[in-house]
Amino acid sequence: MNELRSRIEKSERQLASIFKDLKMNRTDIDELKGKRDALNQQVKERVAKAQALRDRRDEINKQIGDYKEKRSGINSKTQELFFLELRTSRNSVMSVINSLTEV
């Protein structure tokens, strides 16, 4: 009979120890869940900010593309004007040369 009582008491102590460990682990789990939730919130905020920055980058890149197209058009017109001026100057020089050779 005493042996059964001592086995029961020993089992009860083991159960108490196990429940104590479970309670401590549960507390740790709750703390870890809180940290996880806080980090997930930070991630959500940073993802939103990153998306806003990507959108802004895309807008700027589009503006850059528009400016490059305008620059290309201006460069083409400048080149056309340069060649026109060059042809006009050449024609003037040729006219002078022709008039001098006719004399």
Side-chain angles (χ1 to χ4, degrees):
M1 190 76 154
N2 284 336
E3 185 179 330
L4 286 176
R5 277 189 201 155
S6 67
R7 285 171 80 189
I8 290 173
E9 288 175 1
K10 182 179 179 184
S11 295
E12 287 177 348
R13 284 193 302 271
Q14 287 176 338
L15 281 175
S17 175
I18 290 170
F19 282 121
K20 182 180 176 185
D21 289 344
L22 284 174
K23 184 178 179 181
M24 288 175 51
N25 288 335
R26 186 162 307 173
T27 303
D28 292 343
I29 289 171
D30 291 341
E31 289 175 15
L32 292 173
K33 282 182 181 179
K35 288 178 183 180
R36 178 201 62 198
D37 293 344
L39 291 172
N40 283 340
Q41 183 61 33
Q42 287 179 1
V43 167
K44 286 179 185 177
E45 292 169 2
R46 290 180 182 180
V47 164
K49 184 177 180 179
Q51 183 60 48
L53 291 172
R54 277 193 298 271
D55 291 344
R56 181 68 180 133
R57 178 203 62 200
D58 292 344
E59 289 174 22
I60 290 170
N61 284 340
K62 186 182 180 315
Q63 289 176 349
I64 289 170
D66 294 343
Y67 288 134
K68 283 183 177 181
E69 285 181 28
K70 287 179 185 178
R71 180 184 67 191
S72 179
I74 290 170
N75 285 344
S76 294
K77 288 179 183 178
T78 302
Q79 193 173 21
E80 287 175 26
L81 289 173
F82 172 74
F83 285 126
L84 180 64
E85 180 69 27
L86 188 63
R87 275 189 232 118
T88 304
S89 296
R90 183 192 67 194
N91 289 342
S92 296
V93 169
M94 291 305 289
S95 293
V96 170
I97 289 173
N98 285 339
S99 68
L100 290 175
T101 56
E102 290 180 2
V103 174

